[in-house]
Amino acid sequence: MDDSQERRLAANEVVFREVNESILRGQWPGDESKTVQFRCECSRLGCNLLLSLTVAEYEAVREHSRRFVLIDGHEIPEIEKVVERRGGHVIVEKTHEAAKVARRTDPRS
């Protein structure tokens, strides 16, 4: 996979991360243990699957600008590595060009 393909796939995931950031902003303070439906942050443009996470769980993923939460099986080994598996979803960390895109576009940076 060349650098431009990696950047394009990473950009797709950034879009879903922005959607989840909006979902997170809609939560009331003090709801950290509440289960919320977040979008799968994979690079598949047609993916509209949801993940059930608490606000605290999603915040733990977002502490790292290169990490995303995906439905198990939606990861692409050429641009990310699985750092954690949890019931039905995985946390991945971007590598190579995808990592650069993730860091550069992190709305929390």
Side-chain angles (χ1 to χ4, degrees):
M1 183 175 300
D2 65 30
D3 289 353
S4 65
Q5 288 175 306
E6 284 189 35
R7 284 190 296 271
R8 182 181 51 78
L9 290 172
N12 293 350
E13 293 185 358
V14 164
V15 169
F16 294 126
R17 178 173 65 187
E18 290 171 358
V19 168
N20 284 341
E21 285 288 315
S22 294
I23 291 169
L24 194 60
R25 282 192 300 273
Q27 303 305 307
W28 289 98
D31 282 347
E32 289 78 19
S33 61
K34 178 183 172 189
T35 301
V36 178
Q37 297 294 306
F38 291 96
R39 291 284 306 265
C40 175
E41 295 176 337
C42 75
S43 61
R44 300 173 188 195
L45 287 179
C47 180
N48 60 0
L49 298 177
L50 300 174
L51 304 149
S52 294
L53 301 169
T54 65
V55 171
E57 288 172 324
Y58 187 73
E59 284 292 339
V61 173
R62 291 296 297 120
E63 287 178 1
H64 308 277
S65 64
R66 296 181 349 188
R67 292 193 179 176
F68 293 76
V69 61
L70 284 59
I71 295 288
D72 195 2
H74 285 205
E75 62 272 11
I76 300 173
E78 294 86 359
I79 65 168
E80 57 208 3
K81 65 180 179 180
V82 174
V83 295
E84 195 172 336
R85 290 191 184 278
R86 298 181 185 172
H89 68 274
V90 294
I91 298 168
V92 298
E93 186 167 301
K94 298 294 173 225
T95 58
H96 312 296
E97 284 300 311
K100 293 175 187 174
V101 172
R103 275 194 305 266
R104 187 176 61 247
T105 60
D106 187 351
R108 297 183 183 197
S109 301

